Amino acid sequence: MIDTPKHAALRQRLAEELKRKGISSEQTLNAFRQVPRHLFMNVSFEPFAYNDSAYPIGAEQTISQPSTVALQTELLNPQPKERILEIGTGSGYQTAILVQCGAMVYTIERIKELFLNAQATLNQLGYKALCKYGDGHNGWSEIAPFDKIIVTAGAEELPQKLLDQCKIGGTIVIPLKRGDALTMVRLTKKGEQEFSQEDFGPCAFVPMLKGIQ
Ligand code: SAH
């Protein structure tokens, strides 16, 4: 598959749709105008790549819905040169969006097949991110602390190591279990053990699981 002016036009349209749905960060919208989502998906889904929907990427996982990726990116507000840890590489699309924003991205995936695919795609397209195969609950101690952390799978509870590996003043965006549903949560680290929390409504994600596969 290649990127064509037709795909670029579809990206423009997707960015307009995201704007209508409440995304206001120009930085986030610009990243969506640039990153070729269809190249992070199986060829059979190419006609749908710029719809605002999630699609299968193998191993029973999905590429997140664009409006969800956009919300998480807007909440994270990535800045050039910031060190960002992502848990749940999946297709690598959210990774590429963060790299497009200028961040230094470190991303962890627990399913070998997806880790290998995403690493290859990011490399091929020239998105410089460091990919790791492992359980994101452990974070990435060799590289910590991080300015910001984004989790793209639904967590039962806040993973302690991720809280520890965030810098004071840093941000964590994570879909968190509340009763039967997931809520999008943004934490700001105020002190070693002190966090403030904001909620941004219900969201849908595959679960954050323990161990590797
Ligand atoms: N941002 C990705 C989202 C993929 S879905 C995209 O848009 O493509 C979430 C991913 O999180 C899945 O690939 C799943 O395997 C991964 N995941 C779930 N639990 C994990 C864990 N503990 N550590 C690392 N990755 C995990």
Side-chain angles (χ1 to χ4, degrees), residues 155-156 176-185 197-199:
E156 292 278 333
L176 201 55
K177 196 89 174 263
R178 285 277 172 71
D180 287 343
L182 289 170
T183 302
M184 187 67 77
V185 169
Q197 184 169 322
E198 302 159 277
D199 286 8

Side-chain angles (χ1 to χ4, degrees), residues 31-51:
F32 275 82
R33 291 181 184 112
Q34 304 295 323
V35 180
R37 187 173 187 247
H38 64 290
L39 300 181
F40 291 84
M41 296 166 65
N42 184 285
V43 65
S44 55
F45 293 107
E46 194 250 7
F48 315 113
Y50 297 100
N51 291 355

Side-chain angles (χ1 to χ4, degrees), residues 61-62 64 88 90-91 109-111 135-137 152 206 208-209:
Q61 306 302 313
T62 53
S64 300
S91 65
E109 172 56 54
R110 66 177 287 281
I111 299 179
D135 180 348
H137 287 93
T152 69
V206 296
M208 183 176 183
L209 300 174

